[in-house]
């Protein structure tokens, strides 16, 4: 009872406030965004009765993190998303302070089952005074969810795991068994992913851990998920407390993967090193599923803990990345491509070929907030030191976001230092040594940029908050340069 009341109250608030928030200049056009208030991790990504459903960590009453609800959207095609009513609200003894992250599965094409973490704070220290347990909720129609009457589903963490940091269950089926990975911290304060097995989804046994942490992979692994492609298994997770390195890992927390061979019988996962899935500013808690076409589709929160979020003053916060396809590359790492179906959003194609660029080119006054841009640059015989794009440029050209190639360091650079408001900084990613031609595919929405480098070799994502008239799009270089081609669409 209590719980339904929370849900109704939250929905009334959302319905009342959404018209106000709609008008904000930073509202995203084609990215999943909460109608109002705060959003973080994607949860329960699943295909159910002909449509994709995605849930998300949601605090309906304010644009800041608070007791977590599950917001809910669905889509026929992974491109167009509709908001549905809130799916879960906290309020039971075991989830009083939040329905934390989790996943979903479908049983017999009929029941949609959600797995989530019930969070309870037991004192003032939000890092120490808490108890987390795994819970379940069930729906027959994909709209209304009932918490399982025997919750919690998994109450006690195993002996070598903290009960305080025991969250984010991700469930999948292999053979006749169900498996679940749970984010955890062991008694030596190292992050780990616990693996459970069940025959019936209600009785679960812990059968070990997946993924080795030699001490370099942080003190807590959040939001683990596991998918298989060909002979390889990929464990995706978001470790907290990983040290910054030469190669990257610049954000407050990281999100990436381990790839290798996993043996279900021995629970042995032989894998390589940890690699980030995105080298930009804002990327966390990615969740992957195998879609109807057998592809690995992953959606992440395009945000970062502790980052400044100007839209909190406008009643909302948070957006997802576009859906991305993960594929294994020849070198055994992963490439990450934009969902091809996003092409259906394209309109108004314009193109330029063999451009001779003299420091700056305004491309006949090209401007826009929501665009896809493809740029090809020959980098083997490049004359300039730096060459790339300026996006969301203000009329006086002082405000801009830069995406460019630096010949000396062989890096693609995402520079958001020249923005009027919001967090600043630079992120870089190195291009492979044998690369002759650089291919950039950029997705811009009202307050985000996602850059795909060399057909998925690397990706960099970040939120940006430009002024309302900062819409110019320019090419730039620091010497006369030849740009092979530029294709632009409005989205
Ligand atoms: C990751 C996370 C999860 C947790 C959720 C709470 O961003 O910290 O581990 O379940 O957010 O909102």
């Amino acid at each position: 009872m209590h719980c339904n009341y929370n849900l109704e109250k939250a929905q009334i608030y959302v319905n009342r406030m959404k018209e106000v928030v709609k008008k904000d200049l930073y509202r995203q056009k084609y990215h999943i965004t909460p109608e109002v208030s705060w959003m973080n991790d994607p949860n329960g990504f699943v295909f159910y009765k002909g449509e994709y459903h995605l849930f998300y960590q949601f605090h309906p009453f304010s644009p800041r993190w608070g007791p977590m609800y599950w917001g809910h959207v669905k889509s026929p095609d992974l491109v167009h998303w509709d908001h549905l009513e809130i799916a879960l609200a906290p309020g039971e003894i075991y989830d009083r302070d939040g329905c934390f992250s989790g996943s979903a599965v479908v049983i017999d094409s009929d029941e949609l089952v959600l797995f989530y973490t019930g969070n309870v704070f037991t004192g003032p220290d939000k890092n120490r005074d808490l108890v987390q347990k795994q819970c379940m909720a069930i729906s027959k129609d994909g709209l209304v969810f009932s918490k399982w009457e025997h919750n919690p589903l998994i109450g006690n963490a195993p002996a070598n795991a903290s009960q305080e940091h025991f969250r984010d269950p991700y469930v999948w089926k292999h053979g006749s068994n169900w498996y679940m990975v749970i984010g955890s911290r062991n008694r030596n304060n190292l992050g780990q992913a616990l693996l459970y097995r069940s025959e019936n989804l209600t009785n679960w046994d812990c059968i070990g851990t997946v993924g080795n942490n030699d001490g370099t992979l942080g003190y807590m692994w959040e939001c683990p998920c596991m998918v298989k492609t060909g002979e390889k298994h990929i464990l995706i997770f978001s470790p907290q407390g990983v040290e910054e390195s030469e190669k990257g890992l610049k954000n407050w927390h990281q999100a990436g993967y381990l790839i290798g061979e996993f043996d279900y019988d021995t629970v042995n996962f032989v894998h390589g090193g940890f690699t980030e899935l995105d080298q930009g500013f804002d990327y966390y808690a990615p969740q992957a599923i195998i879609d109807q076409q057998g592809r690995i589709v992953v959606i992440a929160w395009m945000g970062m803990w502790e980052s400044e979020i100007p839209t909190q003053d406008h009643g909302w916060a948070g957006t997802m990345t576009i859906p991305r396809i993960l594929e294994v590359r020849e070198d055994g790492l992963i490439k990450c491509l934009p969902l091809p179906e996003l092409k259906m959003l394209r309109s108004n194609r314009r193109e330029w070929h063999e451009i001779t660029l003299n420091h700056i080119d305004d491309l006949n006054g090209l401007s826009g907030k929501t665009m896809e841009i493809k740029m090809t640059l020959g980098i083997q015989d490049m004359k300039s030191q730096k060459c790339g794009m300026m996006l969301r440029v203000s009329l006086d050209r002082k405000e801009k976001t830069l995406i460019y190639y630096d010949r000396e360091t062989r890096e693609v650079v995402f520079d958001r230092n020249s923005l009027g408001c919001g967090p600043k900084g630079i992120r870089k990613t190195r291009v492979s040594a044998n690369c002759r031609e650089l291919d950039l595919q950029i997705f811009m929405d009202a307050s985000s940029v996602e850059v795909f480098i060399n057909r998925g070799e690397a990706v960099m994502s970040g939120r940006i908050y430009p002024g309302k008239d900062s819409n110019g799009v320019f090419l730039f270089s620091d010497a006369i340069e030849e740009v092979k081609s530029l294709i632009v669409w409005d989205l």
Side-chain angles (χ1 to χ4, degrees), residues 119-411:
N119 183 65
V120 173
F121 290 119
T122 53
D125 184 338
K126 291 218 155 58
N127 212 10
R128 291 202 180 149
D129 305 332
L130 69 172
V131 175
Q132 302 192 321
K133 299 183 173 177
Q134 315 323 316
C135 304
M136 187 160 80
I138 300 149
S139 172
K140 285 270 186 195
D141 61 2
L143 296 170
V144 179
F145 296 82
S146 311
K147 291 179 186 172
W148 189 45
E149 53 182 335
H150 304 298
N151 272 342
L153 181 64
I154 303 176
N156 297 324
N160 188 30
S162 116
Q163 186 75 48
E164 295 84 8
H165 296 282
F166 177 51
R167 57 179 175 267
D168 311 336
Y170 178 90
V171 177
W172 75 100
K173 197 167 194 184
H174 174 79
S176 58
N177 286 315
W178 295 96
Y179 290 84
M180 178 193 282
V181 269
I182 302 179
S184 167
R185 173 190 290 195
N186 72 19
R187 294 284 171 201
N188 300 322
N189 278 329
L190 292 180
Q192 62 181 4
L194 298 167
L195 183 68
Y196 283 71
R197 184 170 56 208
S198 170
E199 285 175 4
N200 55 11
L201 285 179
T202 52
N203 298 96
W204 291 90
D205 295 317
C206 183
I207 57 170
T209 59
V210 266
N212 304 318
N213 185 353
D214 58 2
T216 61
L217 284 181
Y219 55 78
M220 170 65 195
W221 290 6
E222 296 192 307
C223 301
C225 71
M226 198 155 186
V227 282
K228 182 171 185 255
T229 172
E231 292 308 306
K232 299 283 182 195
H233 275 84
I234 307 168
L235 179 73
I236 295 173
F237 59 106
S238 300
Q240 298 181 307
V242 178
E243 297 289 321
E244 171 173 341
S245 82
E246 267 295 288
K247 281 199 323 209
L249 307 162
K250 304 282 183 214
N251 293 331
W252 181 250
H253 297 317
Q254 323 303 332
Y257 66 92
L258 302 171
I259 182 165
E261 278 84 39
F262 180 63
D263 184 330
Y264 280 90
D265 297 325
T266 57
V267 193
N268 191 22
F269 185 34
V270 180
H271 58 78
F274 179 77
T275 310
E276 281 180 289
L277 274 172
D278 188 297
Q279 293 181 298
F281 303 93
D282 296 293
Y283 189 86
Y284 201 64
Q287 188 167 91
I289 56 160
I290 307 294
D291 79 348
Q292 289 306 98
Q293 301 175 41
R295 305 173 299 183
I296 302 175
V297 183
V298 59
I299 294 183
W301 174 36
M302 193 163 23
M304 185 48 60
W305 293 110
E306 313 297 328
S307 184
E308 183 191 341
I309 308 174
T311 63
Q312 286 178 322
D313 295 339
H314 309 180
W316 69 284
T319 190
M320 296 297 169
T321 62
I322 55 170
R324 301 174 184 178
I325 306 289
L326 302 190
E327 287 174 12
V328 180
R329 312 192 316 207
E330 269 170 22
D331 64 3
L333 290 176
I334 282 178
K335 66 178 165 190
C336 192
L337 297 153
L339 184 88
E341 293 92 308
L342 288 166
K343 287 186 185 134
M344 65 175 105
L345 298 176
R346 290 174 175 171
S347 67
N348 195 14
R349 176 184 171 123
R350 283 140 290 168
E351 55 191 292
W352 293 259
H353 296 276
E354 310 301 339
I355 309 160
T356 303
L357 172 63
N358 188 354
H359 291 87
I360 191 148
D361 187 334
D362 81 346
L363 304 160
N364 312 328
L366 184 67
S367 74
K369 281 187 169 60
T370 58
M371 291 180 139
E372 181 185 339
I373 300 172
K374 275 189 167 186
M375 175 184 176
T376 310
L377 180 67
I379 56 174
Q380 199 76 0
D381 43 13
M382 204 171 140
K383 298 181 211 59
S384 54
Q385 174 62 37
K386 294 178 178 162
C387 178
M389 312 258 352
M390 285 181 189
L391 309 172
R392 306 297 300 271
V393 185
S394 60
L395 298 171
D396 63 6
R397 297 191 184 174
K398 284 198 178 127
E399 188 177 281
K400 52 197 168 262
T401 298
L402 305 178
I403 309 289
Y404 63 88
Y405 181 69
D406 184 325
R407 176 164 57 103
E408 192 176 301
T409 58
R410 272 195 3 255
E411 285 168 330

Side-chain angles (χ1 to χ4, degrees), residues 38-43 56-58 65-70 98-102 116-117 119 132 165-169 183 220-224 238 240 253 284-285 301 305:
W38 171 271
M39 179 181 90
N40 56 287
D41 314 351
N43 297 153
Y56 54 88
Q57 289 287 280
F58 186 38
W65 191 86
M68 283 288 116
Y69 291 58
W70 276 36
C99 299
F100 277 17
S101 285
Y116 69 97
T117 299
N119 183 65
Q132 302 192 321
H165 296 282
F166 177 51
R167 57 179 175 267
D168 311 336
M220 170 65 195
W221 290 6
E222 296 192 307
C223 301
S238 300
Q240 298 181 307
H253 297 317
Y284 201 64
W301 174 36
W305 293 110

